[in-house]
Amino acid sequence: MVSLYQIKSSLFARNLKSILKVFIYFGLLFSSNNLELGQNDSFIFRKGANLYPNLNLGYESSISIQNLFQEIESNIISIITSDGIVHKGSSIDWIEINSYPAFWINLNKPYALEWQSDLSSIQSLSAASLDVGKNLVNYPYKQEISITEAIPLEVESKVIGVFSEGLAAINVEGNWYGSLGKINNKSGYFIEVDEQINFQFNNPNSRIDLADDSTAKSSIPVEFEFAQSPYQAFYWMLEADINGQDLVPGEDWIGAFYNGVCIGARQWNGIYTDIPVMGVDPDIEETLEYIIPGEFPKFKIYDASENKFYWANPYDNFPFTGALLSFFIVDEIKVEFDCNSILGGDGLLDNCGNCDNNPNNDCALDCNEVWGGTAYLDNCNQCVGGDTGLISDYALDDCG
């Protein structure tokens, strides 16, 4: 508001903001539908993975959860609940599914699910008991709320992070960082806590939320486009540079790759920028070439000012777990000169001093523990040749 009207006096700006808060407060008080979803609200499913908020949780609505999905039941590839169980076809127990506050649902086509009046008026207002670790919850209010206002102060110190579809927010000593700036009822949410707590999101009707997380952002580079997977990890980057020059927030990008395929990307937003990394789901065609458990992602940086892509080195890197959610802290990621003196190249020295980007031709350790050596095991299982000074089958008489 201050920048919009070019108010230069900081004192006047503060007074204006206080007046604005009063108007917003009374406007919220007299809002009659803030806690209800509109009769024509809908949930937009993409083809593939969707983290669906089960607003029907625990309620005997005239529209059962099975009836809710009846029209697209034949298009449901799988449902994955927070315990990692994959439900398919005739194995889908809708009564059991309805016991989860949110779940992943994979579809073979996009779909707009209309929330009808008796379902959209349901309010999951009771507090949920969260165990140590990751918990799936939903947000039952129509009005969205910023992440800084969504978490109750009395439990905020116990909340490590909040995660959604390819978005994440991390709590660092009471300060929130990451791509997840707003909470709304169009997704389920993973909440990571470090001790057992009773939790419910703050009621936006009682909050005065003037937070503005809007910043100038450029569109994602085509090379960095990727599909959502229910198996996702977040790599939090604390620092990033190109040959010593810091990345520019709101301009440059970091992408994650596996075998040359982009599996996640995020625009650089400064410290604690979260890079999503998507894993393979055999039921989602778009993810069949994505990263598998135990493998390490590679990273590229896009320099918007130069319109160039560079391979970048993380310090340190971590293997993908294959869980529904995991996250790691990377101290820094750097675009550097590789062993061929190429800035942002992906050449690596093998143990024989050869520089290339093909790990399949790296020299091997021979039986005499010499990298690139030519020693081998003979018919007596003796290491001969190479640097051993021994000839093949020298002990043949002894070994028969």
Side-chain angles (χ1 to χ4, degrees):
M1 182 71 75
V2 174
S3 60
L4 179 63
Y5 292 102
Q6 298 181 339
I7 299 173
K8 297 182 180 180
S9 168
S10 61
L11 177 60
F12 180 69
R14 285 195 297 269
N15 290 337
L16 180 62
K17 190 172 183 179
S18 298
I19 296 171
L20 182 60
K21 284 186 177 182
V22 172
F23 278 106
I24 291 176
Y25 177 72
F26 282 103
L28 291 174
L29 282 180
F30 289 104
S31 174
S32 61
N33 64 351
N34 183 52
L35 295 181
E36 295 182 0
L37 299 171
Q39 293 187 3
N40 296 321
D41 281 343
S42 61
F43 184 90
I44 307 300
F45 287 98
R46 70 173 69 84
K47 178 185 177 183
N50 303 265
L51 189 52
Y52 180 76
N54 183 17
L55 300 182
N56 202 40
L57 175 66
Y59 286 86
E60 292 294 334
S61 169
S62 63
I63 303 175
S64 71
I65 190 170
Q66 184 173 10
N67 289 337
L68 190 65
F69 289 108
Q70 184 175 13
E71 187 174 333
I72 58 169
E73 192 166 2
S74 62
N75 302 113
I76 296 176
I77 302 171
S78 63
I79 290 176
I80 306 175
T81 46
S82 57
D83 48 17
I85 296 177
V86 179
H87 307 258
K88 293 183 181 181
S90 59
S91 70
I92 296 179
D93 183 340
W94 289 103
I95 295 177
E96 180 184 355
I97 297 299
N98 195 38
S99 68
Y100 292 90
F103 48 82
W104 284 101
I105 180 167
N106 299 331
L107 295 181
N108 60 15
K109 69 175 186 178
Y111 181 76
L113 176 68
E114 201 170 312
W115 275 331
Q116 300 186 27
S117 57
D118 65 338
L119 175 62
S120 62
S121 63
I122 289 172
Q123 297 296 315
S124 304
L125 296 179
S126 58
S129 177
L130 304 188
D131 295 324
V132 174
K134 304 167 185 64
N135 304 262
L136 258 178
V137 302
N138 64 48
Y139 175 80
Y141 306 106
K142 178 181 179 181
Q143 180 182 328
E144 70 177 9
I145 190 172
S146 70
I147 185 67
T148 56
E149 295 288 337
I151 311 300
L153 287 176
E154 60 269 21
V155 298
E156 186 177 30
S157 63
K158 314 295 192 306
V159 177
I160 299 171
V162 182
F163 307 85
S164 184
E165 297 178 348
L167 301 173
I170 191 170
N171 180 12
V172 182
E173 297 181 349
N175 297 308
W176 287 91
Y177 299 91
S179 57
L180 183 60
K182 297 285 188 179
I183 303 292
N184 58 48
N185 60 25
K186 302 303 183 183
S187 176
Y189 295 92
F190 283 95
I191 296 184
E192 173 102 5
V193 296
D194 59 12
E195 68 177 67
Q196 189 176 42
I197 61 172
N198 289 324
F199 177 86
Q200 62 184 130
F201 285 112
N202 279 328
N203 182 341
N205 194 45
S206 62
R207 314 297 295 181
I208 299 177
D209 186 2
L210 294 180
D212 182 11
D213 63 349
S214 61
T215 55
K217 296 181 179 180
S218 59
S219 59
I220 185 170
V222 173
E223 187 170 340
F224 282 0
E225 292 178 349
F226 63 97
Q228 178 68 48
S229 169
Y231 305 102
Q232 59 180 354
F234 294 90
Y235 289 66
W236 297 92
M237 306 291 180
L238 303 190
E239 297 180 4
D241 70 75
I242 300 174
N243 196 28
Q245 296 296 313
D246 293 341
L247 266 60
V248 179
E251 295 185 13
D252 300 328
W253 287 75
I254 301 177
F257 284 77
Y258 179 68
N259 289 338
V261 177
C262 184
I263 55 175
R266 182 80 72 225
Q267 191 163 51
W268 177 249
N269 293 311
I271 187 171
Y272 287 106
T273 293
D274 54 301
I275 313 303
V277 171
M278 301 295 161
V280 62
D281 183 331
D283 292 322
I284 301 178
E285 181 180 0
E286 292 81 1
T287 71
L288 293 182
E289 296 182 339
Y290 282 13
I291 195 167
I292 61 176
E295 294 288 291
F296 290 82
K298 294 181 67 175
F299 296 95
K300 276 185 178 180
I301 285 178
Y302 172 65
D303 182 350
S305 65
E306 298 290 335
N307 193 27
K308 289 183 178 180
F309 295 87
Y310 301 97
W311 288 107
N313 301 317
Y315 299 95
D316 283 324
N317 203 354
F318 301 88
F320 183 73
T321 67
L324 290 178
L325 174 67
S326 55
F327 59 93
F328 311 96
I329 304 294
V330 178
D331 289 335
E332 58 181 351
I333 183 169
K334 304 173 72 65
V335 172
E336 301 170 301
F337 286 94
D338 71 359
C339 51
N340 284 321
S341 299
I342 298 174
L343 181 63
D346 61 346
L348 296 173
L349 283 175
D350 66 14
N351 288 289
C352 294
N354 300 315
C355 178
D356 62 27
N357 61 359
N358 182 9
N360 294 323
N361 68 3
D362 287 354
C363 63
L365 193 67
D366 72 6
C367 59
N368 196 36
E369 297 188 353
V370 175
W371 286 104
T374 58
Y376 61 94
L377 296 175
D378 66 8
N379 292 315
C380 292
N381 205 34
Q382 299 295 313
C383 187
V384 298
D387 293 344
T388 65
L390 301 173
I391 60 173
S392 179
D393 295 334
Y394 73 93
L396 188 59
D397 290 340
D398 296 329
C399 74

